[in-house]
Every structure is written in structure tokens, then in C-alpha cells.
Amino acid sequence: MDAVIAMAVNFGLPLGLILFAFVSGKLIERRHFKRIAAGEAATAHQPAITARNWDLSHEVEKAELVQGAVVVSIDYFKRFMAGLYNLVGGRVRSFESILDRGRREAVLRMKAACPDADIFVNLRLETSMLASTTSKGQYLGGVEVIAYATAIRYRRRRTDEIHAEIA
């Protein structure tokens, strides 16, 4: 009987923790993707392009450098799966979703830095992996993504200027 309990503790507890990490990580990730999609829909009228040139037919009122940054941590299940892929090789799909979340969130934060901009030009993204070990030798990790661009706000024409052009 003691051997059964020892096996249950030795195998059941780690498997239970991995299952808990998988379920909680999926729920948190799904919730984050929903918030990102809502933010992208709300800012769809503000394009962010990588080109250095844009429509110059409008007079520019304001141009400023804006940036947005985010750090997304790696949950234990993704870290566990990455460790398995490290042994056998192949695509580390568990990290791809973290990079996708980070890029999209960084662009949203950049847009929030200048909500009155009409367009963001020369968009650049930079990523870096954050890794360190704690005093107990545990590995902590995450990815940092920084998005930066030039926010352009076009000059708004007043109605008296429009009437003067027509006349």
C-alpha cells in the first residue's frame, strides 16, 4: 500500500502540476488574445506600416516618436514542452504564441501612446528573450517586445478654409 501511495505522489503530483499549468496557461492566453483582438479592432482606423514613406498629400500637424513595450512570461507548461523539443529538435510552437502575443500587444501599447495619430510609419519591432536563474537554481523566462514608430497626425482643415477654397 505504501508503494502505491509513493507512486501516486511521485508520478501523480508532477503530472497534476503539468496539467494544471496547461489548463491555467491556456485560459490566461485565450483571455489575453481576446483583449488583443478587441484592441486591434478599436485601433483598426490607425494603420501601422513599416514603410518610411506615406501619403504626403496632407499637411502634417504633428510627428513624434512613440513606443510600446511588453514582457510576456513563459508558463511552466510551455517551458516543459520547449524542454522536450530541445531534446528531440523541431519547431517550438509553444514559444510562437508568446511571440505573437508580445508583438501584437506591443503595437497596441504603441498606438495607445498617441491615440490621436492618423498613421504610424516606419514601424519597427525588437524582441529579446529574458532569462535568469533564481537563488534556488530555478529558470525564469519571458520575452520582451518593443514596438516603435513615427506617429503622424494630419492637420485638420477648418470649415472656413474649406469654404474659402470653394469660393
Side-chain angles (χ1 to χ4, degrees), residues 55-85:
D55 180 14
L56 296 173
S57 64
H58 299 83
E59 186 179 343
V60 174
E61 178 180 306
K62 179 175 88 173
E64 64 179 297
L65 179 67
V66 291
Q67 64 94 23
V70 65
V71 175
V72 181
S73 71
I74 300 167
D75 64 53
Y76 284 107
F77 183 76
K78 286 185 182 358
R79 191 173 303 132
F80 173 75
M81 292 304 295
L84 290 178
Y85 280 116

Side-chain angles (χ1 to χ4, degrees), residues 77-145:
F77 183 76
K78 286 185 182 358
R79 191 173 303 132
F80 173 75
M81 292 304 295
L84 290 178
Y85 280 116
N86 194 24
L87 290 174
V88 296
R91 268 176 57 186
V92 185
R93 290 184 183 100
S94 56
F95 284 176
E96 289 175 2
S97 68
I98 291 174
L99 287 171
D100 182 40
R101 285 169 56 196
R103 283 189 299 263
R104 291 168 67 185
E105 181 72 30
V107 171
L108 285 175
R109 290 182 182 191
M110 179 198 68
K111 287 182 175 184
C114 191
D116 62 340
D118 293 309
I119 189 170
F120 295 88
V121 296
N122 204 19
L123 171 67
R124 298 293 181 254
L125 294 165
E126 294 190 20
T127 61
S128 62
M129 291 296 293
L130 303 174
S132 65
T133 54
T134 65
S135 60
K136 296 179 183 179
Q138 296 171 328
Y139 174 81
L140 301 174
V143 64
E144 177 187 31
V145 182

Side-chain angles (χ1 to χ4, degrees), residues 157-167:
R157 292 177 29 181
R158 298 188 320 247
T159 52
D160 57 335
E161 292 175 341
I162 296 170
H163 290 298
E165 280 183 17
I166 295 172

Side-chain angles (χ1 to χ4, degrees), residues 9-80:
V9 169
N10 288 336
F11 292 110
L13 188 59
L15 289 176
L17 288 173
I18 290 171
L19 181 64
F20 175 76
F22 173 75
V23 171
S24 61
K26 279 288 186 195
L27 290 173
I28 291 168
E29 185 176 62
R30 189 173 296 138
R31 200 174 324 135
H32 191 207
F33 272 124
K34 283 182 182 178
R35 281 196 314 267
I36 288 172
E40 288 172 339
T43 61
H45 65 282
Q46 296 175 301
I49 61 173
T50 58
R52 292 181 181 176
N53 301 319
W54 69 96
D55 180 14
L56 296 173
S57 64
H58 299 83
E59 186 179 343
V60 174
E61 178 180 306
K62 179 175 88 173
E64 64 179 297
L65 179 67
V66 291
Q67 64 94 23
V70 65
V71 175
V72 181
S73 71
I74 300 167
D75 64 53
Y76 284 107
F77 183 76
K78 286 185 182 358
R79 191 173 303 132
F80 173 75

